[in-house]
Amino acid sequence: MRLLAAALAFGLLAAAPPPARGGYADAAFTVPLDRGLRAFYQRDFRNARTNFESALAVAPDNTLAIGFLNATAAQTPGDLDALIAAEENRLVADPHGYTTQLRLGFSYLFSSSLGRDRQADARDAFAAALAVAPDAAGAHVGLGIMRENERSGNRPKVEFLAALERDPSD
């Protein structure tokens, strides 16, 4: 027993790493994510969207999958608008849901990148997500991207560091 205590005190026994978050330890997430990324870069956007939606069914707040789902929808006329409409409908049923607000924020963010003025809506959705789940990383990722797009000096870094502090795997 003393040997174990001494080993722990001197760091000879490494603590087990924390479990991977965001679905990365789960093949039910990583397989469709991989397929979605491959399809996206092959410009097979319909297949990419289906796979990103499958990945998000396992890890609904994974910002990589959310971002690529929106990037995919932005490639096909009307798809991003349909995605926003579906998420706004979910918001009616789940107005205080973290994932609902997070995904809507990313969709508004992508809509803004296509020339629509939805920055304020994105900021509101990310703020609502943080109000519901202040320890979650995803809204900080979204705000960091927004701040970066605004060329906002040090503010993107603050948001990205907050996200990393909360979930290093997101």
Side-chain angles (χ1 to χ4, degrees), residues 2-169:
R2 281 190 199 174
L3 184 58
L4 178 61
L8 286 173
F10 290 107
L12 298 176
L13 295 178
R21 286 189 29 107
Y24 293 107
D26 187 349
F29 171 75
T30 57
V31 169
L33 180 66
D34 177 65
R35 289 180 182 154
L37 290 168
R38 290 175 191 277
F40 180 85
Y41 286 109
Q42 293 171 353
R43 305 192 61 77
D44 179 1
F45 300 120
R46 187 170 19 140
N47 190 23
R49 183 171 178 172
T50 299
N51 280 289
F52 292 133
E53 288 171 344
S54 295
L56 286 166
V58 177
D61 65 341
N62 181 279
T63 58
L64 178 66
I66 294 170
F68 269 96
L69 175 66
N70 279 280
T72 299
Q75 299 301 315
T76 304
D79 277 8
L80 186 57
D81 291 330
L83 183 60
I84 289 172
E87 289 168 349
E88 288 174 335
N89 288 338
R90 265 194 295 274
L91 188 62
V92 172
D94 186 22
H96 303 293
Y98 169 75
T99 303
T100 303
Q101 294 287 356
L102 177 67
R103 291 180 66 168
L104 188 56
F106 269 90
S107 293
Y108 288 148
L109 187 61
F110 271 82
S111 182
S112 293
S113 72
L114 295 177
R116 298 182 190 116
D117 187 16
R118 302 303 299 259
Q119 289 288 104
D121 294 328
R123 190 180 324 276
D124 289 347
F126 291 137
L130 285 173
V132 172
D135 290 332
H140 288 288
V141 172
L143 286 169
I145 294 168
M146 276 186 68
R147 304 288 192 208
E148 181 67 30
N149 290 344
E150 296 168 348
R151 307 277 192 258
S152 184
N154 201 38
R155 294 176 83 185
K157 178 181 172 183
V158 170
E159 294 296 345
F160 291 136
L161 288 173
L164 281 171
E165 181 180 301
R166 286 158 177 78
D167 183 359
S169 69

